[in-house]
Amino acid sequence: AVCWLCGLSIVFWLTAQQAGGSLSVFAESHIQRSIVLSARTIPIGPGHFAALHGLQVLLLLPLLMAGMSWLRHRNREPSALAKMVWGYVATAGGFVVLAFAGLKGGDAGRVSPTWLTGCYLLLSVAELLLSPLGLSLVTRIAPMHRTSQAVGLWFAAAAAGNAFAGVIGIAWGRWPHHRYFALLALMSIGAATLLLARLRRIEQTLNANTASH
């Protein structure tokens, strides 16, 4: 179960690294460089979107916690593994947004900043669902005498994801951008599907291990 979660997390780390790679390049070359607010023209660039991503995470965290608390009081809160499935789905949704942006003109020209803002919003939700829950579940599932090894495996998966992000990045200049983003979306949906297929078995392992502790 630990190996399964860590293996799938490679996809998460791979997609998370796009913020400093393809998303920054897309913002620089294919997003309109200004917005109009209250009759004022405000210049924007890749750095603004990076800051927006951090701001979205901070704003979404209390909202997500409040939403889960509301569901918990009604006995409808999804399990931690189910939340991770939704995290991969949200990741896929973010890159689907940019795939459509590419088809709408972003492959060669510039498109509205709304496209990238929507992508970052979904990726922020995914980050909140995947990053803390993944490491927490790995430590809970692992046998007590193997916890440190499980944590090491989690960070090894992070290193592998970073490496694969560089490998896939080679395709950025060779493929149309919508195809590149579609590939990332398909990988995330694949991770969600694989995790969903093993959901019940991993939850049984988690429950058994919790009881033994």
Side-chain angles (χ1 to χ4, degrees):
V2 169
C3 291
W4 193 259
L5 286 174
C6 290
L8 291 179
S9 74
I10 292 175
V11 176
F12 163 65
W13 293 112
L14 185 157
T15 54
Q17 288 301 312
Q18 301 304 312
S22 63
L23 298 186
S24 294
V25 177
F26 191 77
E28 174 67 29
S29 304
H30 300 284
I31 294 294
Q32 295 172 3
R33 302 304 301 273
S34 64
I35 57 175
V36 178
L37 291 176
S38 302
R40 292 182 57 191
T41 301
I42 302 174
I44 57 174
H48 294 92
F49 287 102
L52 176 64
H53 178 46
L55 178 62
Q56 287 174 335
V57 170
L58 291 175
L59 293 177
L60 288 171
L61 179 58
L63 294 177
L64 185 63
M65 293 177 63
M68 292 304 166
S69 177
W70 185 84
L71 291 172
R72 189 180 308 118
H73 288 139
R74 289 157 180 77
N75 296 318
R76 298 175 60 183
E77 183 183 12
S79 67
L81 284 165
K83 292 175 186 175
M84 290 186 67
V85 172
W86 282 111
Y88 285 113
V89 171
T91 302
F95 290 112
V96 166
V97 169
L98 287 190
F100 277 109
L103 291 172
K104 291 290 185 179
D107 280 350
R110 295 185 180 271
V111 293
S112 169
T114 305
W115 292 100
L116 192 53
T117 301
C119 171
Y120 270 121
L121 180 63
L122 289 167
L123 294 183
S124 298
V125 172
E127 183 175 332
L128 291 171
L129 292 175
L130 289 170
S131 183
L133 287 177
L135 182 57
S136 174
L137 281 172
V138 164
T139 57
R140 289 168 58 193
I141 291 174
M144 293 185 67
H145 64 286
R146 304 289 293 275
T147 302
S148 59
Q149 290 176 317
V151 173
L153 188 61
W154 174 263
F155 285 108
N162 293 341
F164 282 121
V167 172
I168 292 178
I170 296 174
W172 175 258
R174 303 179 181 180
W175 292 1
H177 300 330
H178 72 271
R179 185 183 298 177
Y180 181 90
F181 291 129
L183 172 64
L184 297 174
L186 287 174
M187 294 176 66
S188 299
I189 283 293
T193 303
L194 291 173
L195 182 56
L196 186 61
R198 303 276 294 192
L199 186 68
R200 183 169 298 179
R201 180 173 295 184
I202 297 177
E203 285 183 341
Q204 289 173 349
T205 302
L206 176 61
N207 293 334
N209 206 36
T210 301
S212 66
H213 286 177

